[in-house]
Amino acid sequence: MGRAGADGVETRRALLGQARASAQLGSAMYAELLTRAAEDPGAVVTEVLGARTRTGYILGMLGTVHRLVLEGRAPELAAYYPTAGGTRDPLEAWPAFRDVLAGHAAEVRDGLLDPPQTNEVGRAAPLVGGLLAIADACRPAGAPGRSLPVRLLEIGASGGLNLRADRFRFLHESGAYGPESPVVLPDAWRGLPPVGAPLAIAERRGCDPNPLDAASPAGRRRLLSYVWPDQTARVARLRAAFEVAARVPATVVKAGAADFLEGLAPEEGVATVVWHSTMRAYMSRDEAARVDRSIERAGAAATPEAPVAHLSFEGRDASRLDVLHVVTLRLWPGGEPVILGEGPSHGLPTTWFSPPRPR
């Protein structure tokens, strides 16, 4: 079999795999588009993807086409996209989708080089639950009603929406946690993290190789382009998170994760928390190792008055969205990693383990 034939077989396998993942994660539209793409005798998708068949590239293709729709550059396809006001059946979008791919092939190929920047708001559920576990563990001696304020550092922050996650409202089987908010996460938690722990954020900083301005129309379009267009609840949560971002300041700098954390050190009187969600697959092995070394060096210098935590929500297989993701916490002094809970890749619902499980 020639190289082109081998690429075609691998592309078909990858498209069908992502179609199954899309169906499992609730997007009938993307499941149908990807299934039709895998069966396309014209192979326009193979022409666009080439040998780039990992999940991130397929999502990049879908996101780039979605962005063309949102920019008004694919009006016939827009008729099928609820995010663009389309009213036609999204499951019938394939012919128009294929035409857009063929007509914008070079631009879509370029879009594959930019990692998806979902900034999924639902992932606030596992992240804030983990943050409550940290706050509960970081109560100053002799002051059980207080907890150290959090210095929150996010790598792969995209538009920084989840740096404001403590300002969202989380619904669960026993009631609700969090302030009144435009962002409401239904069925956020099965079981509960320590909701009685006092939580205060003293600093909100993040990094991204291509940070997005959630206040600008272009930044919002890009963030929206990576939300699956037939998932109206996710779209509504994202738009609500734009409102919260406009009220709550946070800083996202242009930097890779390893450079951002270079020289990381604990700070007296605050809990330094590095967190991330569904981004480890986008780091090279070398960068991931540098990130781990920086966090571990800071952890080795931690004290009870200046603790350090590494909180993540990542897949058991980082290359796949359709596998369960786990909430992992490593807190220094001490530093033994534990799994606090698990959930689907978009975060809702997160199931909490009691007690936490060793990693």
Side-chain angles (χ1 to χ4, degrees), residues 13-32 34-35 55 59 91 228 230-231 234 317 319-325 343-349:
R13 183 183 299 118
L15 290 168
L16 290 174
Q18 187 56 46
R20 289 190 294 272
S22 297
Q24 290 169 13
L25 292 169
S27 178
M29 179 184 186
Y30 274 3
E32 177 67 12
L34 293 171
T35 299
T55 295
L59 296 179
L91 300 184
W228 301 351
D230 59 333
Q231 296 191 314
R234 288 180 65 204
D317 177 347
S319 68
R320 294 174 55 193
L321 279 179
D322 58 327
V323 299
L324 279 175
H325 282 39
S345 67
H346 293 150
L348 301 175

Side-chain angles (χ1 to χ4, degrees), residues 86-144:
T87 57
R88 294 185 183 177
D89 184 352
L91 300 184
E92 300 296 329
W94 168 247
F97 184 91
R98 181 182 55 204
D99 289 347
V100 169
L101 277 185
H104 298 268
E107 186 170 354
V108 176
R109 275 195 294 270
D110 288 345
L112 304 181
L113 302 179
D114 294 327
Q117 292 179 283
T118 308
N119 219 171
E120 173 54 50
V121 176
R123 292 178 186 136
L127 293 172
V128 167
L131 208 57
L132 285 166
I134 295 167
D136 190 50
C138 294
R139 298 174 186 258

Side-chain angles (χ1 to χ4, degrees), residues 16-359:
L16 290 174
Q18 187 56 46
R20 289 190 294 272
S22 297
Q24 290 169 13
L25 292 169
S27 178
M29 179 184 186
Y30 274 3
E32 177 67 12
L33 282 175
L34 293 171
T35 299
R36 295 289 298 275
E39 298 169 349
D40 178 33
V44 64
V45 176
T46 302
E47 296 271 336
V48 168
L49 288 176
R52 298 183 176 119
T53 58
R54 285 172 21 197
T55 295
Y57 293 126
I58 295 173
L59 296 179
M61 175 186 70
L62 294 169
T64 303
V65 172
H66 193 183
R67 193 153 55 252
L68 292 171
V69 168
L70 295 171
E71 290 172 351
R73 298 168 58 200
E76 292 188 11
L77 181 57
Y80 300 92
Y81 276 63
T83 46
T87 57
R88 294 185 183 177
D89 184 352
L91 300 184
E92 300 296 329
W94 168 247
F97 184 91
R98 181 182 55 204
D99 289 347
V100 169
L101 277 185
H104 298 268
E107 186 170 354
V108 176
R109 275 195 294 270
D110 288 345
L112 304 181
L113 302 179
D114 294 327
Q117 292 179 283
T118 308
N119 219 171
E120 173 54 50
V121 176
R123 292 178 186 136
L127 293 172
V128 167
L131 208 57
L132 285 166
I134 295 167
D136 190 50
C138 294
R139 298 174 186 258
R146 293 180 53 245
S147 183
L148 291 174
V150 171
R151 172 195 178 204
L152 185 58
L153 307 174
E154 181 172 22
I155 55 176
S158 189
L161 299 181
N162 281 333
L163 283 167
R164 289 91 164 181
D166 60 310
R167 303 297 180 91
F168 303 165
R169 189 161 180 83
F170 304 83
L171 306 185
H172 52 81
E173 55 199 359
S174 303
Y177 172 82
E180 293 298 324
S181 173
V183 179
V184 178
L185 302 181
D187 195 22
W189 295 330
R190 306 280 175 87
L192 285 178
V195 294
L199 176 61
I201 310 295
E203 181 180 357
R204 306 169 194 268
R205 293 185 66 243
C207 73
D208 197 275
N210 180 29
L212 300 177
D213 180 3
S216 75
R220 291 184 175 192
R221 275 196 304 270
R222 184 172 176 85
L223 288 167
L224 182 57
S225 73
Y226 286 111
V227 175
W228 301 351
D230 59 333
Q231 296 191 314
T232 54
R234 288 180 65 204
V235 171
R237 286 195 292 270
L238 180 68
R239 287 176 166 150
F242 294 153
E243 295 182 43
V244 176
R247 303 174 192 170
V248 182
T251 300
V252 181
V253 300
K254 184 178 179 64
D259 290 341
F260 179 71
L261 294 177
E262 189 71 33
L264 178 70
E267 288 189 5
E268 193 78 12
V270 298
T272 297
V273 178
V274 177
W275 82 7
H276 53 89
S277 60
T278 317
M279 62 79 65
R280 196 168 179 95
Y282 298 105
M283 290 192 288
S284 68
R285 187 174 301 176
D286 178 66
E287 182 168 32
R290 287 179 60 200
V291 164
D292 290 342
R293 285 195 296 270
S294 290
I295 297 173
E296 288 168 5
R297 278 195 297 266
T303 68
E305 294 74 32
V308 171
H310 181 194
L311 175 64
S312 67
F313 182 62
E314 298 284 349
R316 293 182 185 275
D317 177 347
S319 68
R320 294 174 55 193
L321 279 179
D322 58 327
V323 299
L324 279 175
H325 282 39
V326 292
V327 190
T328 303
L329 172 63
R330 194 173 180 188
L331 177 63
W332 292 267
E336 291 301 316
V338 293
I339 296 176
L340 302 177
E342 65 183 14
S345 67
H346 293 150
L348 301 175
T350 298
T351 298
W352 298 100
F353 301 149
S354 183
R357 301 175 181 178
R359 195 176 82 176

